[in-house]
Amino acid sequence: MDLLADNRDAISEHLLSLGWISAAEKIENMTSAGEGNMNRTLRVTLDSRSIVLKQSVPYVARYPDIAAPVERIAMEAEFYRAVADQSELSRYMPAVLGFDPGNHLLCLEDLGPSSDFMDLYDPDERGGDTTAHNDDLTSLVSWLSELHVLPNLDRRLPRGLDNHAMRELNHAHIFEIPLTAGNGLTLETGLDSIAEQFTNDEALRERATALGQMYLGRKPHDSPKVLLHGDFYPGSWLKHPSSGIKVIDPEFAFLGPPEFDVGVLLAHLTMCRYEQPELARLLDNYIPPPGFSHTLVDAFAGIEVIRRLLGVAQLPLSATVESKITWLHSARSMVLGG
Ligand SMILES: Nc1ncnc2c1ncn2[C@@H]1O[C@H](COP(=O)(O)OP(=O)(O)OP(=O)(O)O)[C@@H](O)[C@H]1O
Ligand SMILES: [Mg+2]
C-alpha cells in the first residue's frame, strides 16, 4: 500500500481492513501533513475526525535516489511505545493509533494544524523579543530531561533500541561528510575556505571520529545509557494554538549518551541566536544524570554546528556569513574541548 495522495481508494480499503477506520467513515480529504523529506506523511480527514499517517520507504521520500533504512518507522513506533505510560512524556507527543509493520505504516493522532519551530532560526520573527519562546523552550528542555531519566529501559525496550542503520546514516552526515575533503558540497563564499581548513585539521577530524564512535556505541561514556530522541531540534517540535508544544519524529532514537541530545539542542539554540546568559537559563531546566559531561555536550554541539553549516542538511538560517564563521570557529574549539 503506497501512502500517496492519489491512492485514496487503496488507502481507504487498507485502513478499513486494519480497523483504523470504520465502515461508516468516509475519507473526505487527503493532504500532506506538513513539511518533511524522509517519509511519506498524509493527513487523512474523515467526517468527524482526522488522523495522520506516516510511511517509511527504503529511500528518502523526497529524494528517491538516496537510500534510507526502511525500518526507521518501526524504531519510531518503538519509541512511542516505550514512553506511552509516562504521561509527562507522552502528553507532549501524538498518541499512536496503530502500527502496520508490513506496510511500514504508522497511524498517529492528528495534532491539528500546528506550526513547527523552524522560524526560530530567524530572530526577526521574534520581533526583537529574545524571550518570546522561552516558556515553550523551557517545556521542551524539561521534556528532554524527563526522557533521559526514563526508568526500566530493559523492560520498556527488551530488544534495546539499537537503530543501527539510522545511526550509521546519521553518523556519515554528522561526523564524516562535513570533514571530508572533496565531499562535493557547494558552500557559500566564506564558508568554503573554512571547510577546507577543517578538512585538513587533523586534531578536529580525530576528535570527530572519536565522537562518532561514541555515537555509534563503540566507545564508552561516563554518563548512563539513556533513551535519546536522536533528532531534538526545532524541526521535531510543533506548537498547537491551544494544546501547546509537542515533540514528534523520534525516528533517530537510540540508547546512548544523553550529551548527544543536549548537544544537538545547544547547537540549534545557538544557531537560533540565543546567547549567554539566555542559553544557560534555558538549559538550566535540564537536570543532568550522574556522570554527565558538559564538555561532551559542547563537543556534540560543536560537531552539530559544523555539520549544519558545512554538511548536507542545511537549515533556513538568516544569519550572515560572518556570524556563521564565528559559530564555526567556536564550534571547533568546543569539539576540541576548550
Ligand atoms: N501527528 C501529527 N499531527 C500533525 N501534524 C503532523 C503530525 N506528524 C507530522 N506532522 C506534520 O508533518 C510534518 C512531517 O512529519 P515528520 O517530521 O514526522 O516527517 P519526516 O518525513 O520524518 O520529516 P523529516 O524529513 O524532517 O525527518 C511535520 O513537520 C508536521 O508538520
Ligand atoms: Mg524525520
Side-chain angles (χ1 to χ4, degrees):
M1 200 282 298
D2 279 315
L3 189 69
L4 298 169
D6 59 7
N7 199 20
R8 188 192 283 211
D9 290 347
I11 294 173
S12 170
E13 214 171 282
H14 192 65
L15 296 182
L16 196 57
S17 76
L18 290 166
W20 292 359
I21 63 172
S22 75
E25 289 184 301
K26 291 276 164 299
I27 294 182
E28 287 186 346
N29 208 357
M30 275 193 325
T31 50
S32 159
E35 286 294 314
N37 292 320
M38 288 290 281
N39 304 284
R40 296 169 171 170
T41 48
L42 281 184
R43 167 171 288 111
V44 178
T45 309
L46 307 158
D47 337 36
S48 63
R49 65 185 182 119
S50 58
I51 53 178
V52 166
L53 298 174
K54 179 167 178 177
Q55 183 179 48
S56 63
V57 280
Y59 47 84
V60 177
R62 194 183 288 239
Y63 307 105
D65 48 337
I66 306 178
V70 71
E71 64 270 29
R72 60 190 180 272
I73 200 79
M75 303 297 125
E76 182 162 347
E78 277 209 43
F79 181 99
Y80 281 119
R81 217 175 6 246
V83 304
D85 70 343
Q86 294 283 304
S87 65
E88 281 310 303
L89 295 169
S90 57
R91 72 190 168 103
Y92 291 107
M93 302 194 91
V96 173
L97 306 177
F99 179 50
D100 169 16
N103 284 286
H104 310 290
L105 185 66
L106 189 62
C107 181
L108 296 170
E109 169 195 5
D110 183 6
L111 299 171
S114 326
S115 50
D116 69 21
F117 279 81
M118 294 302 275
D119 62 8
L120 220 55
Y121 296 111
D122 185 357
D124 294 340
E125 295 279 335
R126 304 201 283 272
D129 178 1
T130 56
T131 61
H133 293 286
N134 279 18
D135 288 351
D136 295 333
L137 292 172
T138 300
S139 302
L140 287 160
V141 171
S142 300
W143 182 90
L144 193 66
S145 202
E146 284 287 333
L147 177 66
H148 290 176
V149 293
L150 182 67
N152 307 320
L153 293 178
D154 291 348
R155 175 176 61 72
R156 290 170 193 283
L157 296 160
R159 285 169 291 158
L161 187 58
D162 195 45
N163 206 354
H164 195 72
M166 284 296 269
R167 265 199 281 174
E168 287 281 359
L169 177 72
N170 230 12
H171 174 263
H173 281 278
I174 300 174
F175 301 96
E176 289 184 339
I177 295 169
L179 298 177
T180 301
N183 59 18
L185 297 173
T186 310
L187 299 169
E188 68 182 290
T189 311
L191 299 190
D192 45 2
S193 57
I194 301 207
E196 199 184 327
Q197 272 172 43
F198 281 12
T199 56
N200 289 314
D201 186 331
E202 280 313 311
L204 181 62
R205 285 168 51 99
E206 219 170 88
R207 180 78 175 121
T209 301
L211 290 167
Q213 290 304 301
M214 195 180 281
Y215 174 79
L216 289 174
R218 297 183 186 145
K219 192 173 152 37
H221 44 92
D222 294 334
S223 47
K225 254 192 184 186
V226 304
L227 178 58
L228 304 189
H229 177 277
D231 200 15
F232 200 67
Y233 86 114
S236 297
W237 310 333
L238 295 181
K239 185 175 172 80
H240 186 270
S242 55
S243 55
I245 61 121
K246 301 284 175 179
V247 178
I248 58 165
D249 201 15
E251 63 184 343
F252 283 102
F254 66 102
L255 294 171
E259 291 91 343
F260 179 76
D261 269 348
V262 182
V264 168
L265 173 64
L266 174 60
H268 287 269
L269 291 180
T270 304
M271 290 183 283
C272 293
R273 293 194 251 171
Y274 285 93
E275 289 177 19
Q276 297 293 357
E278 199 65 51
L279 263 183
R281 244 199 311 274
L282 289 170
L283 290 174
D284 221 26
N285 294 292
Y286 183 83
I287 301 159
F292 187 84
S293 160
H294 292 276
T295 310
L296 190 54
V297 169
D298 285 352
F300 281 128
I303 205 77
E304 176 70 9
V305 167
I306 292 172
R307 78 101 165 199
R308 290 295 188 167
L309 296 179
L310 304 182
V312 178
Q314 298 272 332
L315 298 165
L317 299 176
S318 60
T320 61
V321 72
E322 287 76 20
S323 301
K324 293 177 185 170
I325 291 171
T326 306
W327 290 340
L328 281 167
H329 284 303
S330 113
R332 177 183 178 277
S333 303
M334 286 163 81
V335 172
L336 291 175

